[in-house]
Amino acid sequence: MHKLFLDIETLPASEDDHKKLRMLFDKKHEEFEQEKFDEFLQKTNFDGAFGRILCIGYAVDDESPQNFYNENNEKETLRQFWDLVNALSISPRNQQYPDYGLLFVGHNVMDFDLRLYINAQLCLA
């Protein structure tokens, strides 16, 4: 079984999304305050719908760490990571309890990194 150590680094929403985010912000707040809106924008880097993936750092087993980074092309970064996952995976022996021979390792990897990856894939598809 391969171990895939990973960490996804994110950026807040792009300026293209600020208008949509302003509408969401206004629905939650009675009056507009620029400082609070700026904080709201900064937190979008934790949001799979608006945050952007800057890079994905990874290491396989005991190999040296590497990363996927494609300036201004998040979709390509996601594709490269998925290609790596596919290359490391094996066909499951038991369809009822599939084991793909790949263990994801990282801090909060199930609740943040992989969830953000899936959300980004859905948004960019």
Side-chain angles (χ1 to χ4, degrees):
M1 176 177 287
H2 287 292
K3 291 180 184 171
L4 178 58
F5 299 87
L6 73 119
D7 185 34
I8 295 179
E9 297 302 324
T10 60
L11 295 170
S14 69
E15 284 190 37
D16 296 344
D17 291 324
H18 285 196
K19 188 174 181 179
K20 292 179 221 167
L21 289 164
R22 173 65 192 267
M23 289 182 350
L24 291 172
F25 181 83
D26 288 344
K27 286 183 179 187
K28 294 181 180 184
H29 299 86
E30 290 183 17
E31 55 186 66
F32 180 78
E33 291 181 42
Q34 187 64 48
E35 188 175 311
K36 285 186 179 180
F37 182 62
D38 291 343
E39 285 178 34
F40 177 74
L41 289 175
Q42 286 300 315
K43 290 179 182 176
T44 59
N45 65 322
F46 299 116
D47 182 339
F50 292 104
R52 298 171 291 154
I53 293 177
L54 173 66
C55 66
I56 302 174
Y58 70 94
V60 178
D61 298 325
D62 294 330
E63 296 175 12
S64 297
Q66 299 180 51
N67 70 70
F68 295 121
Y69 168 75
N70 296 283
E71 189 170 350
N72 300 319
N73 194 344
E74 183 178 5
K75 199 170 189 174
E76 179 63 14
T77 301
L78 297 172
R79 186 199 58 75
Q80 289 175 321
F81 178 71
W82 190 246
D83 288 348
L84 173 68
V85 169
N86 279 332
L88 295 173
S89 298
I90 60 170
S91 296
R93 295 176 295 258
N94 181 336
Q95 292 299 322
Q96 186 175 3
Y97 304 105
D99 173 6
Y100 294 92
L102 184 59
L103 176 65
F104 292 97
V105 181
H107 173 73
N108 206 17
V109 71
M110 294 301 290
D111 288 331
F112 179 73
D113 297 79
L114 293 177
R115 187 171 298 193
L116 186 85
Y117 175 84
I118 290 167
N119 285 340
Q121 283 284 68
L122 292 171
C123 290
L124 293 172

